[in-house]
Amino acid sequence: MTLRSFDRPGDYIDGRFELPAAPEGEITTRSPADKDDLVGCHPWAVSQVDRAVEAASVAQRSWKRLSKGERAAFLRAYQEVAKRRKEEIAQTIAREVGKAIWDARAEAGAIAAKVDLVLGDGAAWTEDR
């Protein structure tokens, strides 16, 4: 596996990554375990916040209109991606926060397992009231 900085620059808004049109600054992330390991450089702009909030609000309304079964299908698809990319997720966690790889792998493995919790016992907590 090739370790690299994140290759999706910008903010995730309305289903895609977008760089700010007029960056106001940049956040540089280095691994706390190896300061020479550049995990990512992320330009930011406050102007992106309102767009991101609006896009999230629209997406939430669409999500709410889906049936319970349709929502579950999306979560199962997410779960499969999390399982398939477990090692990549673990490597990213280890680099980003300086965790031991064995601990990062356990955390990455828990991501997919949480879908079972949400769709199982946790479903009662997400019912429309």
Side-chain angles (χ1 to χ4, degrees), residues 90-128:
Q91 292 291 334
T92 301
I93 291 168
R95 291 176 66 210
E96 189 173 62
V97 299
K99 277 191 172 188
I101 192 61
W102 64 266
D103 195 13
R105 284 182 178 129
E107 185 174 341
I111 293 170
K114 288 181 184 189
V115 172
D116 292 328
L117 291 174
V118 168
L119 295 177
D121 293 340
W125 294 97
T126 59
E127 293 291 325
D128 290 335

Side-chain angles (χ1 to χ4, degrees), residues 2-87:
T2 302
L3 297 181
R4 64 192 189 298
S5 62
F6 294 122
D7 59 1
R8 290 177 177 82
D11 301 308
Y12 191 73
I13 301 174
D14 200 20
R16 63 190 161 277
F17 288 93
E18 295 181 20
L19 287 169
E24 297 172 41
E26 183 175 85
I27 298 171
T28 300
T29 307
R30 294 187 179 278
S31 173
D34 177 1
K35 296 292 186 178
D36 292 329
D37 180 9
L38 178 63
V39 179
C41 293
H42 314 283
W44 61 268
V46 173
S47 61
Q48 297 280 86
V49 174
D50 288 339
R51 289 183 57 243
V53 170
E54 178 58 27
S57 179
V58 169
Q60 192 281 330
R61 290 191 296 268
S62 296
W63 180 257
K64 188 174 182 174
R65 285 192 296 269
L66 296 176
S67 70
K68 189 174 181 179
E70 289 169 319
R71 292 182 206 176
F74 274 105
L75 291 173
R76 291 291 181 205
Y78 165 78
Q79 183 180 47
E80 289 307 310
V81 171
K83 286 178 182 177
R84 191 171 56 252
R85 298 183 70 179
K86 177 183 171 187
E87 183 61 22

